[in-house]
Amino acid sequence: MAAFFTNFIREYFDAQGRLTHYDYVYENNFNYGYDVTDALGAQYPERLALLWRNEQGEEVQLTFRDIQRLSTQTANLLQSRGLRKGDVLLSALRCHWEHWIVSVAAHKLGVILAPVYYRLTEEDLYYRMVKAKAKAVLCCQEGECPAHMAAAADRAGVPLRLSLGSAEGFEDFHALIEQQPDTMERVETQAEEPILLYFTSGTTGEPKGVLHDHAYTLSNHCGGGYMQDVHDGSRHFATGDTGWEIVAGTKFYCHWLRLGTLLIYDYDRFPPEKILDFLQDVQATSMMAQPTVYRMLTEAGMDKYDLSSIDCFAVGGEKLPPDLPEVVEAQTGQPLYEGYAQSEAGLIAANTKNMGRKKGSVGKILPKYHVELLKDDGSFAQAGEPGEIVLLSQDGKRPVGLTMGYLDDPEGTAALWDGKVFHTSDEAVKDEEGFLYYRGRMDGMIKTKGYRVSPVELEGILSQHPAVRDCLVEGLPDRDLGERIEAQVALRRGFLPTAALKEEIIDFHNQRCAGFKKLRGLTFVNAIARNANGKVVRRKANP
């Protein structure tokens, strides 16, 4: 019997059994909700789709039939409250199991889901609601999320407000879906219509809204199936808040497409010992995490737990410290499989069991895209030559998996993708076998704890302090964080560079941003280096 995913993807291999290329086969009206999750609910009703646990020991197990039923009830709820294809639902659900239900429900309706980080500030949420023209919000109960969400929704005029439980200013999501029928008529959608909106930091201005279509849900199969070794019967664990795009590729679409079970652990602050105990208890077969996470796990002692069921450890999201692979392998007996991905394109290259692994490389270019390295003179780099990683059109079309573009930003979209070439702004070198060696960002973006942070956004916050005349924010190499965020500040006349003022400016900044954007240090300088056009010169020491 052919594997379920072959209904949509046909793979081809060489004589050694290595994946060489694959084709997508799906109808114009492909919809992951109906064609994948509902089909799985019918064919494998008792198969475990998701096992969720939190720090308090609460556990939820959902079969594919449960996913089908709950997502249909949720879709009926959203539809009954006026949401239609093309409307935006903004969610902040941490790692609660409801995220996967709501996602599938939104996909069934063609509603655009905009997941966001639950620790965002009121201003962050307000910006996203207004930018997305959100018609509804759904939030978790943790921390200040409900208060920030309610205040932002009041200002943005969002009419429908739901929460996971009872909260002031919100309707109880659980109570409402219990009243809904578990059948529905299929809503006609098209594979190239948008279903996901992720906000990602850019190099200029506010965060940009990255749009993905229905077909994007299929494009994650290569990363899940090969880098993460997901297969029929696997039990896969991955870190990452549902507000970030990485979740789509590391613990969602491909994993169900390949009949794997998702292992979800919901926490506030990452608890390494509890995670290791969880992995041992549920007998995980594979996991995916950021280097920062692996560092904490090895410091807790991965060798103190029975992780023998795991035979694939994947890593990505930030720069991999050179010593970490050896430490992980010494404690687990397994290598780390590193990969390279972007919010706009998903996974682009990866080390895998099937296609090989090389030390120091982010992996082999996957047959998912036509990838080249573009040199300054406009030609493509040969092996050993550095260049910008770019993706090329396939048969004159946007390749499956590549973003539809930035929301309401035609200029930004055109700069990213001109219909022929997609620019990653990342520099790399490749070898004769197609393995990539990442060299760094070309645009000053900061990668800290797995998050992308725009230095321009943080400079805008710093500049609001009355003592700051000019500033530069940059990411500096950090053993545990990947990059730590630090600032250089030139003061206005009348202000002295004292330790007290330094702390005041840092506090001023950190109180106005989410935790992952906080400054770790600040240095006073006489001036910020700028080029002839007045732009800040990044990755360069200032006087």
Side-chain angles (χ1 to χ4, degrees):
M1 183 177 177
F4 178 82
F5 73 85
T6 61
N7 292 320
F8 313 99
I9 297 159
R10 306 286 169 76
E11 298 180 321
Y12 303 90
F13 303 87
D14 63 17
Q16 287 73 45
R18 293 175 299 211
L19 181 69
T20 56
H21 65 286
Y22 53 84
D23 297 323
Y24 295 101
V25 284
Y26 57 86
E27 301 297 327
N28 290 335
N29 68 342
F30 169 78
N31 183 303
Y32 188 90
Y34 303 114
D35 300 321
V36 177
T37 54
D38 279 5
L40 290 172
Q43 295 179 43
Y44 305 94
E46 302 306 318
R47 181 73 70 91
L48 185 62
L50 185 149
L51 188 159
W52 174 92
R53 192 180 295 175
N54 65 12
E55 290 186 273
Q56 291 71 46
E58 298 173 309
E59 183 171 293
V60 172
Q61 295 191 28
L62 300 176
T63 65
F64 283 120
R65 173 62 183 134
D66 293 327
I67 302 295
Q68 179 184 15
R69 174 178 55 84
L70 290 167
S71 65
T72 297
Q73 289 179 297
T74 302
N76 281 324
L77 167 63
L78 298 177
Q79 193 172 50
S80 71
R81 302 304 294 274
L83 289 192
R84 299 291 183 266
K85 183 169 72 171
D87 289 341
V88 175
L89 166 61
L90 185 140
S91 66
L93 298 179
R94 209 163 86 162
C95 271
H96 291 295
W97 58 266
E98 292 88 347
H99 168 78
W100 286 263
I101 300 299
V102 171
S103 297
V104 174
H107 299 348
K108 288 181 176 181
L109 297 176
V111 166
I112 301 171
L113 185 70
V116 299
Y117 186 41
Y118 81 106
R119 287 183 178 274
L120 291 182
T121 65
E122 177 188 331
E123 287 300 321
D124 287 332
L125 292 169
Y126 172 71
Y127 169 79
R128 286 158 175 76
M129 289 179 197
V130 172
K131 180 71 174 178
K133 303 179 179 67
K135 295 288 184 66
V137 297
L138 171 60
C139 72
C140 61
Q141 298 275 307
E142 281 77 16
E144 296 182 281
C145 186
H148 289 167
M149 187 72 81
D154 284 341
R155 293 169 57 193
V158 178
L160 178 58
R161 307 172 195 182
L162 306 170
S163 74
L164 302 183
S166 178
E168 185 176 353
F170 295 88
E171 297 181 78
D172 187 336
F173 171 77
H174 290 126
L176 290 173
I177 64 169
E178 288 177 0
Q179 305 167 16
Q180 300 299 318
D182 60 4
T183 61
M184 65 179 291
E185 293 293 324
R186 179 168 180 148
V187 175
E188 279 304 312
T189 59
Q190 295 297 304
E192 294 187 351
E193 290 176 336
I195 59 164
L196 285 168
L197 173 62
Y198 286 104
F199 283 91
T200 183
S201 295
T203 56
T204 58
E206 298 284 359
K208 297 178 183 295
V210 178
L211 284 166
H212 285 293
D213 59 18
H214 287 273
Y216 168 75
T217 60
L218 295 176
S219 71
N220 294 281
H221 94 280
C222 195
Y226 291 91
M227 180 185 178
Q228 300 160 44
D229 198 27
V230 174
H231 52 270
D232 188 346
S234 66
R235 298 164 71 87
H236 178 76
F237 171 79
T239 55
D241 186 277
T242 59
W244 306 108
E245 185 273 339
I246 191 172
V247 166
T250 61
K251 51 181 176 183
F252 199 166
Y253 300 112
C254 163
H255 308 76
W256 286 347
L257 198 64
R258 289 180 174 263
L259 293 177
T261 297
L262 295 177
L263 304 174
I264 311 298
Y265 197 89
D266 191 19
Y267 53 83
D268 182 24
R269 301 290 182 184
F270 185 78
E273 290 86 1
K274 289 183 178 180
I275 293 295
L276 289 167
D277 186 65
F278 175 65
L279 295 173
Q280 173 181 267
D281 182 52
V282 299
Q283 294 188 301
T285 60
S286 59
M287 71 170 286
M288 171 80 199
Q290 299 84 3
T292 305
V293 168
Y294 278 109
R295 180 70 72 188
M296 288 189 280
L297 293 177
T298 56
E299 289 176 350
M302 300 179 76
D303 51 357
K304 296 177 182 177
Y305 298 79
D306 181 5
L307 305 180
S308 57
S309 60
I310 303 178
D311 61 8
C312 182
F313 291 93
V315 62
E318 62 194 52
K319 187 174 177 59
L320 183 63
D323 68 309
L324 190 57
E326 286 77 11
V327 176
V328 171
E329 188 162 1
Q331 293 191 11
T332 67
Q334 298 284 345
L336 274 180
Y337 291 95
E338 187 180 6
Y340 163 73
Q342 283 210 330
S343 297
E344 294 86 351
L347 193 66
I348 296 172
N351 288 288
T352 71
K353 293 180 182 179
N354 179 270
M355 289 174 275
R357 172 179 176 266
K358 288 190 177 182
K359 183 178 179 180
S361 169
V362 294
K364 192 170 186 178
I365 296 171
L366 301 175
K368 175 180 177 181
Y369 295 123
H370 179 181
V371 178
E372 296 285 355
L373 301 184
L374 185 64
K375 297 198 297 185
D376 291 340
D377 63 6
S379 64
F380 294 140
Q382 301 301 307
E385 295 181 328
E388 180 194 5
I389 302 171
V390 297
L391 315 181
L392 305 186
S393 64
Q394 296 174 359
D395 299 323
K397 298 178 181 179
R398 173 174 60 90
V400 174
L402 187 61
T403 178
M404 300 175 69
Y406 291 135
L407 178 68
D408 296 332
D409 185 4
E411 291 185 2
T413 299
L416 185 78
W417 165 250
D418 62 5
K420 296 180 180 180
V421 179
F422 169 82
H423 294 272
T424 67
S425 296
D426 282 328
E427 187 178 62
V429 172
K430 68 177 178 180
D431 64 17
E432 294 284 356
E433 296 181 80
F435 281 85
L436 281 183
Y437 295 82
Y438 182 76
R439 297 185 59 164
R441 293 291 297 174
M442 300 172 66
D443 57 10
M445 286 294 294
I446 300 168
K447 293 293 287 294
T448 182
K449 298 176 69 175
Y451 303 125
R452 291 206 326 167
V453 177
S454 166
V456 175
E457 179 187 354
L458 303 192
E459 287 160 4
I461 296 173
L462 272 177
S463 297
Q464 296 174 32
H465 190 282
V468 177
R469 171 170 57 86
D470 201 359
C471 60
L472 166 72
V473 173
E474 58 188 346
L476 300 180
D478 187 277
R479 175 179 177 270
D480 297 323
L481 303 175
E483 288 184 306
R484 67 181 183 276
I485 302 174
E486 298 212 2
Q488 297 180 31
V489 168
L491 296 173
R492 295 182 184 276
R493 287 186 178 182
F495 291 91
L496 297 176
T498 64
L501 181 58
K502 176 187 293 187
E503 292 304 313
E504 176 186 325
I505 295 174
I506 290 175
D507 289 343
F508 175 88
H509 175 278
N510 290 351
Q511 290 173 10
R512 288 164 173 76
C513 67
F516 65 94
K517 302 177 186 177
K518 291 185 183 299
L519 286 180
R520 305 281 175 168
L522 183 149
T523 303
F524 291 119
V525 296
N526 294 326
I528 301 298
R530 294 179 179 273
N531 63 22
N533 295 321
K535 292 184 178 181
V536 171
V537 177
R538 302 193 183 277
R539 305 293 183 186
K540 179 178 179 179
N542 286 282

